[in-house]
């Protein structure tokens, strides 16, 4: 049973740095083909992919946010951490942690299949 | 970056009716890397369809996906009360990965 859970501050001030932690179970981030990503959703708006880290430490970032994002993993703790600098009220959103694996059990490319419940982060002074 | 445009923005239908949701990509997408999600208020998205037409685990067969190239479709053959929700299309080929803006299926 794969589960993921996001944790971090619910309120940050403009210009501050946000640090979110994803704690997962049911899989290992040292397994070949496995990745953990972050996706956000402003209130009433669409989903936006932010970043993803693979088992081999390969990292991918959204080009529009790349300069502000850092994603890291701690395989021993089954955690992935996302930091976002220079927070702005426009960054107010629910942030989701997600699991991805290159190929499903049938050998077919697989998308973000398991999601955490999300954590709402509000940016306000 | 591939832009995904969903239509219509809102679909007003009655239970038992057929729902057809569209998603158009700004450039050709491999159907192997195309998915649909369902999202209900206050919940995380749930994977419905991946590889354009493969149902995810536990998804009822009233949900089906089709399409290729730049045009993809999600069909719900007969709407059940629990199907009224938001639906997003998504491409997961080469990054950056993107989502459509969503189609809301509401009760008429």
């Amino acid at each position: 049973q794969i589960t993921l859970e996001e944790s971090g501050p619910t309120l940050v001030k403009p210009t501050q740095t946000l640090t979110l932690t994803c704690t997962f179970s049911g899989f290992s981030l040292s397994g070949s083909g496995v990745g953990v990503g972050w996706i956000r959703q402003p209130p009433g708006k669409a989903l936006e992919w932010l970043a993803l880290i693979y088992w081999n430490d390969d990292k991918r970032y959204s080009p529009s946010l790349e300069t502000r994002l850092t994603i890291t993993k701690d395989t021993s703790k089954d955690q992935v951490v996302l930091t976002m600098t220079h927070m702005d009220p426009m960054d107010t959103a629910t942030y989701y942690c997600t699991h991805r694996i290159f190929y499903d059990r049938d050998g077919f490319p697989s998308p973000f299949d398991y999601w955490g419940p999300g954590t709402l982060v509000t940016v306000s002074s | 970056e591939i832009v995904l445009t969903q239509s219509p923005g809102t679909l007003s239908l009655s239970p038992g009716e057929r729902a057809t949701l569209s998603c158009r990509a700004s450039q050709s997408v491999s159907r192997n890397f195309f998915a649909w999600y369902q999202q209900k208020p206050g919940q995380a998205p749930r994977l419905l369809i991946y590889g354009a037409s493969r149902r995810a685990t536990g998804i009822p067969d009233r949900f089906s996906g089709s399409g290729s190239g730049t045009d993809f479709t999600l069909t719900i053959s007969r709407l059940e009360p629990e199907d009224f929700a938001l639906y997003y299309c998504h491409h997961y080929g080469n990054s950056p990965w993107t989502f459509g803006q969503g189609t809301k299926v509401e009760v008429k």
Side-chain angles (χ1 to χ4, degrees), chain A residues 41 49 100 104 106 109 112, chain B residues 37 39 50 54 88 92 97:
Chain A
Q41 185 174 37
W49 169 70
R100 184 177 173 182
D104 65 7
D106 297 325
F112 300 108
Chain B
Y37 292 87
Q39 187 179 33
Y50 67 103
R54 300 172 69 94
Y88 291 98
Y92 56 101
W97 303 299

Side-chain angles (χ1 to χ4, degrees), chain A residues 37 39 49 52 98-100 111-115, chain B residues 37 47 90 97:
Chain A
I39 292 166
W49 169 70
L52 182 138
T98 63
H99 167 274
R100 184 177 173 182
F112 300 108
D113 50 2
Y114 294 91
W115 297 56
Chain B
Y37 292 87
L47 178 64
H90 168 58
W97 303 299

Side-chain angles (χ1 to χ4, degrees), chain A residues 30-89:
Chain A
S30 59
S32 181
V34 178
V36 172
W38 288 91
I39 292 166
R40 73 177 178 180
Q41 185 174 37
K45 296 189 177 180
L47 301 162
E48 179 184 21
W49 169 70
L50 302 177
L52 182 138
I53 188 165
Y54 285 114
W55 85 103
N56 59 0
D57 212 40
D58 182 17
K59 301 167 187 177
R60 306 294 171 90
Y61 295 102
S62 167
S64 62
L65 293 166
E66 185 168 10
T67 59
R68 299 173 54 203
L69 296 174
T70 302
I71 190 169
T72 59
K73 62 181 174 68
D74 186 333
T75 305
S76 65
K77 293 183 179 178
D78 287 342
Q79 290 182 333
V80 168
V81 174
L82 180 75
T83 60
M84 180 180 291
T85 60
H86 305 295
M87 293 293 285
D88 180 271

Side-chain angles (χ1 to χ4, degrees), chain B residues 16-82:
Chain B
E17 288 193 297
R18 181 184 187 91
T20 303
L21 288 67
S22 297
C23 182
R24 175 161 288 177
S26 59
Q27 57 188 274
S28 185
V29 175
S30 167
R31 68 190 319 273
N32 288 349
F33 297 96
F34 193 87
W36 290 92
Y37 292 87
Q38 177 194 67
Q39 187 179 33
K40 296 181 179 178
Q43 296 184 17
R46 177 175 71 146
L47 178 64
L48 296 176
I49 300 287
Y50 67 103
S53 60
R54 300 172 69 94
R55 276 186 297 277
T57 302
I59 301 304
D61 60 8
R62 64 180 181 272
F63 291 92
S64 63
S66 63
S68 63
T70 60
D71 292 293
F72 296 85
T73 300
L74 174 70
T75 302
I76 311 171
S77 58
R78 289 178 56 87
L79 282 165
E80 297 288 339
E82 61 267 28

